[in-house]
Amino acid sequence: MQQNVSSDGETGHKCVPLKKRVAVALWKLATGSEYRTVGHLFGVSVTTVCRCLRDFAAAAETLLVPELIRFPDQETFADMAADTESRWGVPQCVGAIDESHIPIRAPQEHHCEDFNCKGGHSIILQGVVDGKGLFWDVFAGLPCSSHDARVLRQSQLWELASRGIFFPASTRNVGGVDAGYYILGGSAYPLQNWLLKPFHDTGRLSAEQQVYNQKICRAR
């Protein structure tokens, strides 16, 4: 049995009990320990650790992502806008967009594209969160050398929002302007009617522009 559990073959991997395979994957994800260290801790091979992690990630994507990261319906958008306004004082805002680097091993091909400024390799995860910091849209996979605007334009968020079918039609008069739902982005993102960003500070911003920048940057 020990030989089956520690085997690098597919048969050995399947002999590992399900609870143990989940534990291996969770331990690897939670600690970031090396595959060999995790394998030694659980008494399995490095290959088995890799397969446990791969299978867990595939199952999570299939079963958990649709359950935990859902596209908001009209009622949820309204609730998010109300909550964000009460928390941060920005009306009609349903979230903020930003990116995070996910570390990866150096790929054999095109490794320069995945080399980040901290000296490692990574891919980009683009996420949109609501006023409570809960994700409701994610997009990942592009190399870390990709500009924020390029990542956005490659995502389904850009495609649907640009076609006007991403956010439900719900406008409100804000300062004399009929404003629909929008998200907040940093200065690297392109300005859209559904994506607001700070004014570029040239040292000549008006008092109103400065207040605007302070409010949306604080909220974001």
Side-chain angles (χ1 to χ4, degrees):
M1 177 62 70
Q2 182 62 37
Q3 182 178 3
N4 287 337
V5 170
S6 300
S7 170
D8 284 347
E10 188 68 27
T11 302
H13 166 62
K14 289 183 178 180
C15 286
V16 180
L18 177 60
K19 289 185 178 181
K20 187 172 183 177
R21 288 155 62 187
V22 172
V24 168
L26 290 177
W27 189 273
K28 169 61 179 171
L29 291 171
T31 65
S33 301
E34 294 183 354
Y35 287 92
R36 190 173 302 278
T37 301
V38 178
H40 179 73
L41 179 64
F42 286 90
V44 298
S45 69
V46 171
T47 301
T48 296
V49 175
C50 294
R51 286 174 174 158
C52 288
L53 184 62
R54 178 198 63 190
D55 293 348
F56 181 86
E61 181 180 6
T62 301
L63 302 174
L64 297 181
V65 170
E67 178 70 22
L68 300 177
I69 305 180
R70 297 180 177 181
F71 185 77
D73 55 23
Q74 187 166 356
E75 182 178 354
T76 304
F77 269 123
D79 291 341
M80 289 195 302
D83 180 72
T84 303
E85 183 173 9
S86 67
R87 287 171 180 263
W88 308 107
V90 284
Q92 292 292 89
C93 177
V94 293
I97 185 172
D98 208 345
E99 294 179 353
S100 178
H101 287 263
I102 309 301
I104 61 171
R105 288 186 175 183
Q108 294 182 352
E109 297 181 359
H110 310 295
H111 58 86
C112 291
E113 294 182 358
D114 298 306
F115 195 74
N116 59 48
C117 60
K118 295 184 178 181
H121 292 81
S122 61
I123 58 174
I124 291 177
L125 180 143
Q126 172 186 277
V128 183
V129 300
D130 62 16
K132 299 176 181 177
L134 301 177
F135 284 93
W136 58 264
D137 185 81
V138 292
F139 172 71
L142 292 184
C144 66
S145 58
S146 305
H147 189 271
D148 293 3
R150 180 198 169 197
V151 176
L152 174 61
R153 288 190 171 96
Q154 293 292 320
S155 68
Q156 189 178 39
L157 166 62
W158 174 269
E159 177 187 354
L160 297 179
S162 298
R163 290 163 53 189
I165 58 176
F166 193 79
F167 298 105
S170 178
T171 60
R172 173 180 165 187
N173 188 281
V174 179
V177 176
D178 289 333
Y181 292 136
Y182 61 87
I183 58 178
L184 300 176
S187 57
Y189 289 101
L191 180 65
Q192 304 291 312
N193 60 359
W194 51 268
L195 196 163
L196 300 186
K197 55 187 283 187
F199 285 102
H200 180 61
D201 192 355
T202 61
R204 298 181 179 181
L205 295 181
S206 66
E208 291 180 339
Q209 291 172 332
Q210 292 179 20
V211 170
Y212 166 85
N213 278 5
Q214 292 172 0
K215 287 185 71 69
I216 70 166
C217 288
R218 177 174 174 269
R220 180 169 177 267

